[in-house]
Amino acid sequence: MVKLEVRCGLSVKLLDISDAQTLFSLVEANRSYLKEWLPWLDLTNSHLDSEAFIQSTHQQYHDGLGIMGGIYSDNSLVGMCGYHPIDKINRCANIGYWLAEKSQGQGIATTCVAYLVDYAFTELQLDQVSLSIAEHNYRSQAIATRLGLSRKGIKRDAEYLYDHFVNHICYSVNRTHWLERKAID
């Protein structure tokens, strides 16, 4: 089992196929909340869709393209966090995440994203990490800002959400800046 211990009581774990129903139930319970920012909810209609997703995360990990795992807080699945497939040639990655609505506001996403940024630079030897955040998703923008990622620009019509396009704000940090900032903190 692949499990990253973020801190006591908080981890990111590669899900097993046996976790498909739990993942689907979490998505189902948060469907209307998550639909504001995530485009894939209409494609997730049963635990079989969650199984297919979990299989894709295993393939991504097996191919050396990074972990996309379940966020576990006190042994309960509360969301997902990880790397959209790592670009090995350019030594960079984009991090994606989502949390159940009831798990918001506890620092879980900020802590997990910080861990994955650090892991990307110290363990995976990447040089750049990015977050691509919907223009009006102010909570996610606050995470990027808190962690010291720089706003690099806006990608117009970056994502189609059900009946409209949304712009994304691109944030990034390079290894040198992250490690220098970490040394100061």
Side-chain angles (χ1 to χ4, degrees), residues 42-179:
D42 286 350
L43 303 174
T44 304
N45 299 304
S46 77
H47 76 281
L48 297 176
D49 297 319
S50 294
E51 281 184 15
F53 170 73
I54 290 169
Q55 288 172 339
S56 75
T57 66
H58 282 244
Q59 189 63 51
Q60 176 181 321
Y61 184 78
H62 179 270
D63 292 344
L65 301 177
I67 187 173
M68 175 58 73
I71 300 172
Y72 283 83
S73 179
D74 297 324
N75 298 314
S76 293
L77 181 65
V78 297
M80 295 291 299
C81 186
Y83 305 106
H84 292 295
I86 291 171
D87 178 344
K88 289 181 175 183
I89 293 171
N90 294 303
R91 296 171 48 180
C92 62
N94 193 11
I95 293 176
Y97 53 91
W98 62 265
L99 282 176
E101 187 172 17
K102 70 177 182 155
S103 298
Q104 298 281 325
Q106 302 171 38
I108 293 171
T110 301
T111 303
C112 287
V113 171
Y115 182 91
L116 289 177
V117 171
D118 198 61
Y119 191 86
F121 294 139
T122 60
E123 301 299 320
L124 301 176
Q125 299 302 305
L126 299 181
D127 289 315
Q128 185 91 8
V129 173
S130 302
L131 299 177
S132 184
I133 301 169
E135 185 174 29
H136 299 292
N137 188 343
Y138 303 116
R139 292 181 93 165
S140 279
Q141 290 176 41
I143 290 170
T145 301
R146 262 193 304 279
L147 295 178
L149 278 71
S150 300
R151 181 177 166 151
K152 298 298 184 180
I154 295 179
K155 188 184 219 183
R156 301 279 175 210
D157 296 336
E159 187 171 53
Y160 190 75
L161 286 179
Y162 310 102
D163 63 354
H164 65 286
F165 281 97
V166 295
N167 300 330
H168 277 193
I169 298 176
C170 301
Y171 292 86
S172 69
V173 64
N174 65 32
R175 180 202 313 235
T176 302
H177 178 79
W178 179 264
L179 295 177

Side-chain angles (χ1 to χ4, degrees), residues 13-30:
K13 178 180 86 92
L14 192 63
L15 297 177
D16 296 320
I17 294 299
S18 63
D19 297 316
Q21 185 58 55
T22 303
L23 176 60
F24 179 72
S25 295
L26 186 65
V27 168
E28 192 64 19
N30 290 274

